[in-house]
Amino acid sequence: QVHLVESGGGLVQAGGSLTLSCAASGLTFSTYAMAWFRQAPGKEHEFVAGVTRGGINQYYGDSVKGRFTISRENTKNTVYLQMNSLKPEDPAVYSCAAGRAPLGTTPAQYNYWGQGTQVTISS
């Protein structure tokens, strides 16, 4: 059974930084593209960042480019999201996802999802 477990969410001041982690089990991690999505109340899932299977290529949503960095450690079955310069519009539940396709930016392209971790920004 596949499990994706996020951690690292919490309360941080605007302008601050936070690093999220997602630990995967039950799948051959290195054969899956990984991504982070976020969902704020009343809104749809928004693509935040994605990384290809080997970690060579990363893609970002326009709203986080230059501030967030996605990375992965295939030896640890873990994907990370380093978030810097956090803004008042960044609060959401952040979820990691694993997809068999090379890389996608829509939720439908991902096969497995974690439960999510809440990120809250204080101004």
Side-chain angles (χ1 to χ4, degrees):
Q1 191 171 4
V2 176
H3 290 285
L4 301 178
V5 180
E6 301 93 340
S7 61
L11 175 66
V12 64
Q13 285 189 330
S17 298
L18 209 56
T19 300
L20 306 182
S21 301
C22 171
S25 61
L27 76 171
T28 305
F29 185 72
S30 61
T31 66
Y32 284 78
M34 298 298 296
W36 288 93
F37 287 81
R38 67 186 182 186
Q39 188 173 28
K43 296 188 177 181
E44 295 185 351
H45 276 101
E46 176 189 5
F47 174 77
V48 175
V51 60
T52 50
R53 297 163 186 165
I56 301 299
N57 296 309
Q58 301 86 35
Y59 300 87
Y60 297 93
D62 289 340
S63 61
V64 306
K65 280 180 182 176
R67 300 188 297 124
F68 291 10
T69 303
I70 188 171
S71 62
R72 65 189 295 164
E73 285 189 81
N74 286 349
T75 57
K76 295 184 178 181
N77 287 4
T78 302
V79 62
Y80 306 95
L81 185 68
Q82 172 68 43
M83 305 186 293
N84 297 326
S85 303
L86 283 160
K87 299 180 178 180
E89 56 264 36
D90 290 324
V93 174
Y94 284 70
S95 300
C96 67
R100 297 189 187 97
L103 187 65
T105 60
T106 62
Q109 294 172 289
Y110 289 84
N111 306 97
Y112 302 106
W113 291 78
Q115 294 287 340
T117 185
Q118 178 72 51
V119 172
T120 305
I121 310 295
S122 63
S123 56

